[in-house]
Amino acid sequence: MIAAALFSLAFISSAAASCGRGLTFIDPFQFDAEGHIPIPSFSYGTTTGPLNWHNLNTTAYFLCGNGTHQSPILINTTSAQVPPGSVKLNVPNARNASFENLGTNVEIVVNGTLQAANSTWKLSQFHFHTPSEHRLDLGHYEAEMHFVFAAADGSTKVAVLGFFIQVASNESTPLLETIFAHLGSIQTPGTTTQLPTIDFSSFQASANKMAYFQYTGSLTTPPCTEGVAWFLATTPIPLKIDTYNVLKGTTKTNNRYTQNLLGQPNLLEVAKVNL
Amino acid sequence: MIAAALFSLAFISSAAASCGRGLTFIDPFQFDAEGHIPIPSFSYGTTTGPLNWHNLNTTAYFLCGNGTHQSPILINTTSAQVPPGSVKLNVPNARNASFENLGTNVEIVVNGTLQAANSTWKLSQFHFHTPSEHRLDLGHYEAEMHFVFAAADGSTKVAVLGFFIQVASNESTPLLETIFAHLGSIQTPGTTTQLPTIDFSSFQASANKMAYFQYTGSLTTPPCTEGVAWFLATTPIPLKIDTYNVLKGTTKTNNRYTQNLLGQPNLLEVAKVNL
């Protein structure tokens, strides 16, 4: 069963073509022929977890253990930024967007665009990590949201727009409250539900006024593809504790460990000495 | 400077004798000859972080990369437990306890005893990790508190009494609120302050009614010594968000990644294949 799933995922990951809602390698969790969402073979556990992803598929996931521009990384307040107004997210009100439990994550599949770094990008999906994957001034936040985009020019370029999420007592982000109210419908990995109309206007108006840390890194999940244009909001967004607990209770811990400095040897290459 | 610190720490760690407040290898952060707290050479960053601790001192930290009974591990609700009443913590009211910022952590040095597993243990210190180090049913908590004990019989055995800490809007743990109110005095690594009289009675009355997950693992920091008797409370304790943010802002992210199943090869040994 596991072997079959692994073979299936490897096949999907190695496919170069894009399909309906984005490039397969930025969203390898396409519906299978029977209309179910395949659960990935990788995990956030032990031998199938982040330290060993490169051994789950030595070809397709090679970069996870060998790449030298891997994400997530340590960010600090003096890291390179693009100023407010440089990033323009535009997500039309979404009707019946698909909200999917991938086991390792929950994602919302919705159309939209991003204009950033003199390029236009097409939204594939967005999803969440608990705790945060990137760390700001060495510390994590409680969660991190990733909007994943394919290049609008049809090339294989990928961009990710990320937001730190900070737990709060008395404030939250209405977009997230609206979406996470439906987590109860997708508690089982592999299940999906359709969301009611979601209004992104308030969130994106706020997002489009933010400054963003900018660097070129990788996907934080297998196949750990590099050349990803990262835009990471300098301002965290709030989430009520109770809602955060429902998210965390659904996807559990799903953050990759901090990678080495950009351009330096992969941390696993560094670590293997004297083992 | 770094080399000197490394040598110093290696020397301290390899010393077999105990001193005033506990065995050196469960508390390698003793005051140096000049009365300062040495900052450890290991970190939670990249090349000096958890994946590479074994290479910072290939002798003293060997087990970090090669041990097969390493902590923290995945715990689940069916893991082995000892029932309520099995663990008896006794910490007398502490006057002028030392509260120290080690850079990688903050710890409180206080006397006390633990009776558990038919043994008596002497408290060395207690400290905190954000996010939690152990994971319950795959998910982390926002923090974890570790009371570290040496065997009262003078042997080199070590026990750790651990508590998951969960952020909350409207409740907290008075013991932690009292202590963390003094974090502002030790914001600089290497500094220490004396706490006013701390009353542990309410906390320990509660702790002594809890059930505990029990297993034999390791220290979660170098030198990653094994044979540590872990008692991990099955009930998380609450901490107000604002207080949690001050703790996290002081020590930043300081949790070690999840280790392999007990008795299985060290995850770094597993990962080095195909690198």
Side-chain angles (χ1 to χ4, degrees):
Chain A
M1 192 66 172
I2 291 175
L6 190 63
F7 174 80
S8 166
L9 187 63
F11 176 78
I12 293 169
S13 297
S14 63
S18 65
C19 65
R21 61 179 211 245
L23 297 169
T24 54
F25 71 90
I26 61 171
D27 183 16
F29 315 109
Q30 308 293 332
F31 290 97
D32 63 17
E34 288 77 38
H36 302 120
I37 303 166
I39 303 301
S41 59
F42 71 84
S43 81
Y44 292 89
T46 56
T47 53
T48 57
L51 269 77
N52 207 37
W53 285 346
H54 59 284
N55 280 324
L56 300 183
N57 187 319
T58 54
T59 306
Y61 298 175
F62 177 79
L63 286 171
C64 301
N66 295 271
T68 58
H69 290 77
Q70 290 287 296
S71 297
I73 58 170
L74 297 174
I75 299 284
N76 61 62
T77 42
T78 62
S79 297
Q81 295 182 23
V82 293
S86 305
V87 162
K88 289 187 183 171
L89 176 68
N90 182 19
V91 184
N93 287 357
R95 289 187 190 175
N96 300 325
S98 180
F99 188 24
E100 307 173 352
N101 184 340
L102 313 170
T104 55
N105 217 313
V106 290
E107 73 174 21
I108 298 94
V109 181
V110 64
N111 292 317
T113 60
L114 174 73
Q115 289 183 298
N118 299 316
S119 296
T120 300
W121 310 83
K122 289 172 63 177
L123 181 58
S124 174
Q125 41 88 4
F126 64 101
H127 61 259
F128 305 89
H129 297 270
T130 53
S132 69
E133 299 210 287
H134 291 86
R135 286 158 60 189
L136 183 57
D137 291 335
L138 296 176
H140 64 280
Y141 283 92
E142 287 67 53
E144 187 172 326
M145 172 166 58
H146 290 161
F147 286 77
V148 184
F149 300 85
D153 64 7
S155 73
T156 58
K157 288 183 181 173
V158 172
V160 182
L161 188 67
F163 297 85
F164 290 119
I165 297 174
Q166 184 168 34
V167 291
S169 293
N170 299 314
E171 55 175 343
S172 198
T173 300
L175 172 68
L176 299 186
E177 294 292 337
T178 302
I179 291 170
F180 291 151
H182 297 268
L183 277 169
S185 303
I186 56 167
Q187 285 296 295
T188 305
T191 58
T192 183
T193 191
Q194 286 193 318
L195 297 174
T197 299
I198 303 176
D199 181 355
F200 286 81
S201 57
S202 173
F203 175 78
Q204 71 195 18
S206 172
N208 291 344
K209 290 175 188 160
M210 293 179 184
Y212 288 80
F213 298 112
Q214 201 280 318
Y215 77 98
T216 302
S218 78
L219 299 181
T220 63
T221 55
C224 306
T225 311
E226 297 192 341
V228 172
W230 276 94
F231 300 92
L232 196 57
T234 57
T235 311
I237 61 175
L239 183 65
K240 274 190 188 161
I241 288 182
D242 291 350
T243 314
Y244 157 75
N245 280 331
V246 176
L247 172 66
K248 184 165 70 86
T250 305
T251 56
K252 319 296 184 183
T253 297
N254 66 345
N255 67 326
R256 190 185 189 196
Y257 60 93
T258 305
Q259 301 295 303
N260 208 352
L261 300 180
L262 299 170
Q264 294 296 306
N266 190 291
L267 263 190
L268 292 177
E269 296 278 350
V270 175
K272 77 175 180 182
V273 179
N274 296 312
L275 285 177
Chain B
M1 190 68 171
I2 292 173
L6 190 64
F7 174 80
S8 167
L9 187 64
F11 176 78
I12 293 168
S13 296
S14 63
S18 65
C19 65
R21 62 180 212 241
L23 296 170
T24 53
F25 71 90
I26 61 171
D27 183 16
F29 315 110
Q30 308 293 331
F31 290 95
D32 62 17
E34 289 77 39
H36 302 120
I37 303 166
I39 303 301
S41 59
F42 71 84
S43 80
Y44 292 89
T46 56
T47 52
T48 56
L51 268 78
N52 207 35
W53 285 345
H54 59 286
N55 280 324
L56 300 183
N57 188 319
T58 54
T59 307
Y61 299 174
F62 176 79
L63 286 171
C64 301
N66 295 271
T68 58
H69 290 76
Q70 290 287 295
S71 296
I73 58 171
L74 297 173
I75 299 283
N76 61 61
T77 43
T78 61
S79 297
Q81 295 181 23
V82 292
S86 305
V87 161
K88 289 187 183 169
L89 176 68
N90 182 19
V91 184
N93 287 0
R95 289 187 190 175
N96 300 326
S98 181
F99 189 23
E100 307 173 352
N101 183 340
L102 312 171
T104 55
N105 217 312
V106 290
E107 73 173 20
I108 297 93
V109 181
V110 65
N111 292 317
T113 60
L114 175 73
Q115 289 182 296
N118 299 317
S119 297
T120 301
W121 311 83
K122 290 172 64 178
L123 182 58
S124 174
Q125 41 89 3
F126 64 101
H127 61 260
F128 305 88
H129 297 269
T130 53
S132 69
E133 300 210 285
H134 291 86
R135 286 158 58 189
L136 183 57
D137 290 336
L138 295 177
H140 64 281
Y141 283 92
E142 287 68 53
E144 187 172 327
M145 172 166 58
H146 291 161
F147 286 77
V148 184
F149 301 85
D153 64 6
S155 73
T156 59
K157 288 182 181 173
V158 173
V160 182
L161 188 67
F163 297 85
F164 289 119
I165 298 175
Q166 184 168 33
V167 290
S169 292
N170 299 315
E171 55 175 344
S172 199
T173 301
L175 172 68
L176 299 186
E177 293 292 338
T178 301
I179 292 170
F180 292 153
H182 298 269
L183 277 169
S185 302
I186 56 166
Q187 286 295 295
T188 305
T191 57
T192 183
T193 190
Q194 286 193 316
L195 297 174
T197 299
I198 304 176
D199 181 356
F200 286 83
S201 58
S202 174
F203 175 78
Q204 72 196 17
S206 172
N208 291 344
K209 290 175 188 161
M210 293 179 183
Y212 288 80
F213 298 111
Q214 202 280 318
Y215 78 98
T216 303
S218 78
L219 299 181
T220 63
T221 55
C224 306
T225 311
E226 297 193 339
V228 172
W230 275 94
F231 300 92
L232 196 56
T234 57
T235 311
I237 60 175
L239 183 64
K240 273 189 189 164
I241 288 183
D242 291 349
T243 313
Y244 156 76
N245 280 332
V246 176
L247 172 65
K248 183 164 71 85
T250 305
T251 55
K252 319 297 184 182
T253 297
N254 66 345
N255 68 325
R256 189 185 189 194
Y257 60 93
T258 305
Q259 301 296 302
N260 207 352
L261 300 180
L262 299 170
Q264 294 296 307
N266 189 292
L267 263 190
L268 293 177
E269 296 278 350
V270 175
K272 76 176 180 182
V273 179
N274 296 312
L275 286 178

